[in-house]
């Protein structure tokens, strides 16, 4: 299983974990995106940067399913 699938699977798992509150699920999804971005460095390739951006868009769409207003804001304000 490649890394992209893993991140996206984890995001889906968090989004569908109804044992957590909306805030907890949202916070965990945003943490997942932040962690992915923090792993980028000056030596990261354009492909790696595009992948992280794509993963973040996926994660933000998962947030949108939990909190529509916040999710829309996140997606619209992506670089």
């Amino acid at each position: 299983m490649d890394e992209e699938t893993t991140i996206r699977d984890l995001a889906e798992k968090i989004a569908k974990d109804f044992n957590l509150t909306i805030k907890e699920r949202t916070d965990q999804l945003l943490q997942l995106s932040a962690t992915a971005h923090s792993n980028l460095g000056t030596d990261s390739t354009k492909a790696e940067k595009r992948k992280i951006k794509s993963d973040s868009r996926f994660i933000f769409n998962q947030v949108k399913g939990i909190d529509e207003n916040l999710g829309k804001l996140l997606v619209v304000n992506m670089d």
Side-chain angles (χ1 to χ4, degrees):
M1 189 178 321
D2 65 22
E3 186 177 330
E4 178 177 343
T5 303
T6 304
I7 289 172
R8 290 177 181 221
D9 286 344
L10 183 55
E12 285 182 337
K13 181 179 174 187
I14 292 168
K16 294 176 182 176
D17 186 353
F18 297 109
N19 291 321
L20 300 173
T21 66
I22 290 172
K23 181 180 181 344
E24 289 170 333
R25 288 188 284 160
T26 302
D27 287 349
Q28 287 185 18
L29 287 168
L30 295 176
Q31 172 101 29
L32 185 60
S33 178
T35 300
H37 280 278
S38 70
N39 289 331
L40 288 175
T42 56
D43 60 339
S44 297
T45 65
K46 286 184 181 185
E48 290 170 328
K49 291 176 184 178
R50 280 193 306 268
K51 179 186 161 316
I52 295 298
K53 186 173 182 178
S54 173
D55 288 344
S56 287
R57 181 174 301 278
F58 180 84
I59 291 168
F60 295 163
N61 280 314
Q62 294 296 310
V63 170
K64 188 176 171 184
I66 299 168
D67 182 339
E68 188 169 353
N69 291 330
L70 177 59
K72 283 182 182 178
L73 284 172
L74 292 169
V75 172
V76 168
N77 289 301
M78 288 187 74
D79 304 349

